[in-house]
């Protein structure tokens, strides 16, 4: 009976304890997920409270990590008496747990991809109750910058299906990143017959992802300037991020639909002798080879260098309309370019009269100079480097010997300064000899013994010759003789010994002429007599004036006018009249009233 009482009491106590346990409860609070970058530290917080407020519970704390297959492995244990980290797990050396009255915090160092799993927090408060919660740890690894590579070969617009344009690859990402393609900033999506995007992904030994995307695109001509790029998007702890690749351009092949032909060189007008370069260009890619010909000769093709035609030393025959068109092939349209080529010219000048023209002195001559040209011309006439006329016609009037010479006409094209031609004519003015000077006979009086130079000049064409014929003197010789163009010049030196006659004879096959010099010789005795007579006259005149002055016949005053007269005069009286003018000049007049009385020795003055 006593045994039954003890058994019933124990059962009652157990029921009471069980009732208390049912009434008490531990409440836990944990985040559903915790995000962390690979290599960083993750912190998982587990907070708890008890519904039993009558006592201060003691908790038993345990941390578990989920394993594949649904099992769990314990990482950490702590109660009122002890605290330990379980050995032999992947976290033994990487975790740290901090616990207080309100919660426990699990820290994981150097997070790995394998750490992405669920972590469980077990809290047992004994009489206060127990509870279990979990947090899913998510690990992130940003991928590398995407690498884009475009195709190196050209892509033809004539292809019916999409062609590979570029590939894009990114590595070392987790979770698996995504790749999006763009054309000029606009996203590209799969489109039947136009856009096809092929994606390949793989997981490397490090458990990180590598994703490769290939863009297949049906190109058009407008895509020659388009820029293609790829963008990688991936998850991070605080959302989604993107990395964009550099943009690339592709080579698009398209047929030529338009051709242009132009003159590359020379600039401006083309003249004969120039080297002409014609260039042809189309809008196709790649640029096609071109064929060149002339409209006037459609069956003749010129040799060219791909898109350039060079015409060396062109002439007027090369003028015409030139064409170029692409070499026929797949996708080549019948298009052509044209350009008009005008080769300007200037023919050799033709001068009339030609080469040499003979004319007589005093005649007139008209010369012409003409050169056939494709442009308007200008003509200038030169003689001895000096401009003597302008225009196609040159007039020579009243020709003289000085007008003889070479006349050059220069014909130029003002619009083409380097285009010029010359012509020449030699004009010879002929005539008989002409003596220089209007006198045909020269009279000279010279003293005997004196040496006289006689000069003679003559003009003519052909050049006249000069010879001297001198009579009356044997002492003469030619001291100078020279010619200049149409003039002959001669100088002789003659010693006067008596009257001399010198003849200058000029002659040519067209005539002759003569110039005469007559020299009258004067003796030295006559000169002495003349001098003595002059001296005697001066002495006589002085004596008369002195005699009259002594007799008072001549007043000393110099102003006014005085007349001295007598009522009667004899034959021996002399009348003297003196006058003073305003210029203080004096005149004395002596006159013999009865006439001159001459002695036997008197000589006439």
């Amino acid at each position: 009976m006593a045994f039954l009482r003890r058994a019933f009491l124990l059962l009652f106590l157990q029921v009471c304890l069980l009732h208390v346990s049912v009434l008490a409860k531990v409440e836990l609070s944990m985040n559903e997920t915790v995000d962390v970058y690979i290599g960083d530290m993750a912190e998982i917080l587990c907070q708890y409270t008890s519904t039993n407020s009558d006592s201060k519970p003691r908790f038993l704390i345990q941390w578990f990590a989920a394993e594949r297959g649904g099992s769990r492995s314990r990482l950490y244990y702590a109660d009122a008496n002890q605290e330990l980290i379980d050995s032999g797990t992947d976290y033994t050396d990487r975790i740290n747990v901090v616990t207080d009255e309100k919660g426990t915090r699990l820290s994981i160092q150097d997070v790995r991809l394998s750490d992405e799993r669920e972590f469980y927090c077990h809290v047992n408060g004994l009489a206060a109750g127990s509870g279990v919660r979990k947090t899913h740890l998510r690990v992130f690894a940003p991928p590398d910058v995407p690498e884009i590579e475009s195709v190196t070969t050209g892509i033809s617009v004539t292809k019916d299906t999409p062609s590979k344009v570029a590939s894009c690859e990114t590595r070392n990402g987790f979770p698996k990143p995504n790749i999006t393609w763009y054309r000029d900033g606009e996203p590209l999506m799969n489109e039947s017959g136009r856009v096809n995007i092929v994606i390949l992904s793989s997981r490397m030994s490090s458990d990180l992802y590598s994703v490769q995307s290939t863009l297949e695109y049906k190109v058009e001509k407008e895509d020659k300037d388009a820029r293609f790029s790829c963008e990688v998007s991936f998850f991070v702890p605080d959302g989604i991020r993107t990395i964009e690749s550099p943009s690339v351009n592709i080579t698009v092949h398209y047929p030529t639909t338009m051709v242009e032909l132009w003159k590359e060189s020379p600039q401006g007008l083309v003249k004969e002798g120039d080297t002409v370069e014609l260039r042809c260009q189309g809008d196709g890619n790649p640029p096609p080879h071109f064929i060149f010909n002339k409209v006037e000769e459609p069956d003749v093709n010129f040799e060219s260098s791909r898109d350039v035609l060079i015409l060396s030393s062109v002439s007027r025959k090369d003028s015409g309309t030139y064409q170029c068109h692409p070499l026929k092939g797949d996708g080549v349209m019948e298009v052509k370019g044209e350009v008009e080529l005008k080769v300007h010219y200037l023919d050799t000048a033709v001068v009339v009269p030609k080469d040499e023209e003979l004319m007589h002195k005093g005649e007139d001559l008209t010369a012409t100079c003409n050169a056939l040209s494709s442009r308007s011309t200008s003509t200038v006439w030169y003689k001895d480097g000096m401009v003597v006329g302008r225009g196609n016609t040159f007039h020579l009037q009243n020709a003289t010997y000085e007008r003889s010479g070479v006349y050059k006409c220069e014909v130029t094209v003002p619009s083409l300064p380097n285009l010029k031609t010359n012509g020449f004519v030699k004009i010879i003015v002929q005539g008989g000899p002409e003596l220089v000077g209007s006198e045909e006979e020269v009279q000279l009086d010279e003293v005997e013994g004196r040496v006289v130079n006689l000069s003679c000049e003559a003009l003519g064409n052909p050049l006249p010759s000069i010879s001297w014929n001198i009579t009356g003197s044997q002492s003469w010789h030619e001291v100078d003789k020279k010619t200049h163009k149409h003039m002959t010049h001669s100088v002789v030196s003659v010693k006067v010994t008596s009257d001399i006659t010198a003849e200058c004879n000029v002659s040519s096959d067209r005539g002759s002429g003569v110039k005469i010099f007559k020299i009258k010789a004067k003796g030295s005795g006559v000169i002495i007599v003349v001098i003595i007579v002059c001296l005697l006259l001066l002495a006589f005149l002085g004596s008369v004036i002195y005699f009259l002055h002594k007799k008072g016949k001549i007043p000393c005053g110099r102003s006014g006018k005085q007349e001295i007269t007598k009522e009667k005069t004899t034959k021996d009286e002399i009348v003297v009249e003196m006058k003073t003018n305003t210029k203080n000049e004096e005149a004395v007049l002596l006159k013999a009233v009865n006439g001159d009385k001459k002695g036997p020795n008197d000589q006439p003055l």
Side-chain angles (χ1 to χ4, degrees), residues 492-544:
V492 294
S493 179
V494 181
K495 184 175 182 179
V496 179
T497 57
S498 62
D499 291 346
I500 297 173
T501 299
E503 294 180 353
C504 172
N505 298 297
V506 296
S507 63
S508 69
D509 57 3
R510 289 186 170 272
S512 62
V514 62
K515 185 174 184 178
I516 300 174
F517 297 87
K518 289 187 176 183
I519 304 174
K520 187 174 182 58
K522 294 183 179 181
S524 58
V526 176
I527 296 176
I528 294 173
V529 171
V530 172
I531 293 173
I532 294 173
V533 171
C534 290
L535 291 175
L536 290 174
L537 287 175
L538 289 174
F540 175 74
L541 181 61
S543 299
V544 173

Side-chain angles (χ1 to χ4, degrees), residues 278-343:
L278 301 180
R279 185 174 296 274
C280 186
Q281 180 176 306
D283 63 346
N285 190 41
H289 290 274
F290 292 98
I291 296 176
F292 292 84
N293 60 7
K294 287 178 68 175
V295 173
E296 295 80 3
E297 302 173 4
D299 297 330
V300 178
N301 295 331
F302 296 101
E303 292 185 5
S304 60
S305 175
R306 194 176 182 90
D307 61 346
V308 175
L309 173 64
I310 297 179
L311 303 173
S312 300
S313 189
V314 294
S315 66
R316 67 196 71 182
K317 295 180 180 179
D318 294 313
S319 296
T321 302
Y322 286 78
Q323 291 181 337
C324 70
H325 57 84
L327 188 66
K328 292 183 179 180
D330 295 338
V332 177
M333 302 176 63
E334 289 291 337
V335 292
K336 62 183 178 181
E338 290 185 352
V339 66
E340 183 75 20
L341 178 63
K342 178 65 175 179
V343 180

Side-chain angles (χ1 to χ4, degrees), residues 388-457:
V388 294
R390 297 183 183 275
N392 300 88
T393 304
F394 175 69
H395 298 285
L396 180 61
Q397 296 178 336
N398 191 21
T400 61
Y401 298 125
E402 289 77 9
R403 303 300 294 273
S404 297
V406 177
Y407 289 79
K408 181 183 78 171
C409 70
E410 183 177 83
V411 183
T412 59
V413 179
S415 56
L416 286 165
N418 293 328
L419 200 60
K420 62 177 63 178
T421 183
N422 298 316
F424 302 88
V425 60
K426 184 177 181 181
I427 296 178
I428 301 175
V429 180
Q430 294 184 333
E434 291 183 4
L435 288 163
V436 177
S438 60
E439 298 178 350
E440 295 183 357
E441 184 174 318
V442 179
Q443 300 285 343
L444 297 173
D445 292 333
E446 296 294 342
V447 178
E448 290 182 10
R450 186 175 182 182
V451 177
V452 179
N453 288 335
L454 303 179
S455 176
C456 185
E457 292 179 337

Side-chain angles (χ1 to χ4, degrees), residues 147-151 162-170 179-182 188-190 194-201 211-217 228-230:
E147 297 178 359
I148 187 170
E149 183 178 357
S150 62
V151 295
S163 303
K164 179 182 176 180
V165 170
S167 61
C168 179
E169 183 178 10
T170 184
I179 295 179
T180 304
W181 284 97
Y182 291 85
L188 295 174
M189 302 298 178
N190 281 317
R194 184 172 178 269
V195 180
N196 184 33
I197 299 175
V198 180
I199 298 178
L200 296 176
S201 61
V211 180
Q212 184 180 45
S213 179
T214 301
L215 173 63
E216 296 177 352
Y217 184 78
F228 293 88
S229 61
C230 63

Side-chain angles (χ1 to χ4, degrees), residues 144-304:
D144 297 338
V145 175
E147 297 178 359
I148 187 170
E149 183 178 357
S150 62
V151 295
T152 56
T153 59
I155 305 172
S156 176
V157 299
T158 59
K159 193 172 182 180
D160 296 332
T161 58
S163 303
K164 179 182 176 180
V165 170
S167 61
C168 179
E169 183 178 10
T170 184
R171 299 182 182 90
N172 301 320
F174 191 90
K176 182 174 68 175
N178 184 52
I179 295 179
T180 304
W181 284 97
Y182 291 85
R183 177 190 179 276
D184 290 338
E186 296 294 330
L188 295 174
M189 302 298 178
N190 281 317
E191 182 179 341
S192 178
R194 184 172 178 269
V195 180
N196 184 33
I197 299 175
V198 180
I199 298 178
L200 296 176
S201 61
S202 60
R203 198 160 187 175
M204 299 179 293
S205 58
S206 61
D207 285 337
L208 297 174
Y209 284 98
S210 174
V211 180
Q212 184 180 45
S213 179
T214 301
L215 173 63
E216 296 177 352
Y217 184 78
K218 190 177 186 313
V219 297
E220 298 177 353
K221 182 178 179 180
E222 291 74 16
D223 293 316
K224 63 184 178 66
D225 299 320
R227 308 292 300 184
F228 293 88
S229 61
C230 63
E231 182 186 74
V232 176
S233 57
F234 51 92
F235 289 99
V236 293
D238 54 353
I240 298 176
R241 292 185 183 177
T242 60
I243 303 177
E244 187 175 355
S245 73
S247 62
V248 294
N249 181 248
I250 59 174
T251 301
V252 181
H253 289 176
Y254 45 88
T256 300
T257 59
M258 182 189 70
V259 174
E260 183 181 6
L261 177 62
W262 70 91
K263 175 171 65 68
E264 184 79 7
S265 67
Q267 299 296 321
L269 300 176
V270 178
K271 65 181 183 300
E272 287 188 324
D274 286 344
T275 296
V276 178
E277 180 179 323
L278 301 180
R279 185 174 296 274
C280 186
Q281 180 176 306
D283 63 346
N285 190 41
H289 290 274
F290 292 98
I291 296 176
F292 292 84
N293 60 7
K294 287 178 68 175
V295 173
E296 295 80 3
E297 302 173 4
D299 297 330
V300 178
N301 295 331
F302 296 101
E303 292 185 5
S304 60

